[in-house]
């Protein structure tokens, strides 16, 4: 089963670390990622740039609103995400509890949701709607 892991960290804490501490932390994290990858657990993932580079979109009063920065004002910001394969949630917790990144901030683990059936149903509805529109267009042309 696929699990999404969201890694959070405090940017101020990171910036307060010396360069050698940052390098040691990253090397430890990447070494564990190599173990996960070797054992077939990593499906994908990405690090994120600073929350200062984020933009949040909201639908407000019938209009699109944009705000600089992340939605939540907290010390810890989303720093990256990973997609992992695990037997079950207990196994995902076991894998991620050993990841050195947990020392840098919390890691949220969520099961990925399979939307394939919902997508197929939506495609059928959209095809049916398109077919109805085409039929109505033909009637209006006569």
């Amino acid at each position: 089963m696929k699990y999404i892991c969201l890694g959070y960290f405090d940017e101020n804490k990171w910036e307060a670390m010396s360069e050698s501490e940052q390098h040691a932390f990253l090397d430890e994290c990447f070494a564990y990622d190599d173990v996960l990858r070797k054992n077939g657990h990593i499906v994908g993932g990405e690090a994120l740039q600073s929350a200062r580079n984020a933009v949040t979109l909201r639908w407000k009063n019938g209009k699109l609103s944009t705000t600089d920065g992340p939605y939540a004002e907290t010390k810890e910001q989303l720093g990256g995400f990973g997609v992992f394969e695990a037997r079950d949630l207990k196994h995902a917790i076991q894998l991620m509890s050993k990841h050195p990144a947990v020392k840098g901030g919390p890691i949220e683990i969520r099961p990925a949701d399979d939307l394939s059936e919902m997508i197929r149903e939506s495609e059928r509805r959209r095809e049916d709607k398109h077919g109805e529109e085409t039929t109505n267009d033909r009637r209006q042309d006569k």
Side-chain angles (χ1 to χ4, degrees):
M1 180 165 192
K2 285 185 186 158
Y3 290 88
I4 311 301
C5 297
L6 305 172
Y8 295 86
F9 77 108
D10 182 340
E11 290 182 1
N12 294 326
K13 187 177 171 184
W14 173 259
E15 291 168 2
M17 293 170 71
S18 71
E19 188 175 347
S20 63
E21 289 172 321
Q22 289 176 350
H23 288 174
F25 179 76
L26 290 173
D27 292 348
E28 196 177 351
C29 289
F30 293 149
Y32 189 68
D33 286 349
D34 289 342
V35 171
L36 291 172
R37 195 173 291 103
K38 179 182 165 201
N39 292 320
H41 295 294
I42 290 184
V43 175
E46 294 291 335
L48 300 174
Q49 290 187 6
S50 169
R52 291 184 284 265
N53 297 334
V55 174
T56 299
L57 306 178
R58 288 186 192 85
W59 192 254
K60 193 174 183 179
N61 299 324
K63 292 185 338 202
L64 180 65
S65 167
T66 61
T67 307
D68 290 342
Y71 177 73
E73 294 291 328
T74 65
K75 274 196 259 178
E76 293 164 336
Q77 300 295 332
L78 182 61
F81 69 94
V83 182
F84 298 87
E85 284 284 346
R87 290 185 303 274
D88 52 30
L89 183 58
K90 185 176 178 178
H91 185 222
I93 292 168
Q94 177 187 8
L95 291 171
M96 293 314 297
S97 67
K98 295 176 185 171
H99 201 294
V102 79
K103 296 174 191 169
I107 294 177
E108 179 180 340
I109 301 172
R110 286 195 206 182
D113 205 356
D114 180 4
L115 299 181
S116 54
E117 183 55 34
M118 289 174 70
I119 292 167
R120 282 192 293 277
E121 289 174 11
S122 175
E123 287 170 345
R124 282 192 293 269
R125 286 191 301 270
R126 289 179 282 149
E127 286 173 10
D128 290 347
K129 184 177 180 181
H130 179 71
E132 289 173 15
E133 290 171 356
T134 304
T135 302
N136 289 337
D137 290 343
R138 284 189 202 130
R139 287 182 189 149
Q140 290 175 358
D141 289 341
K142 289 186 179 181

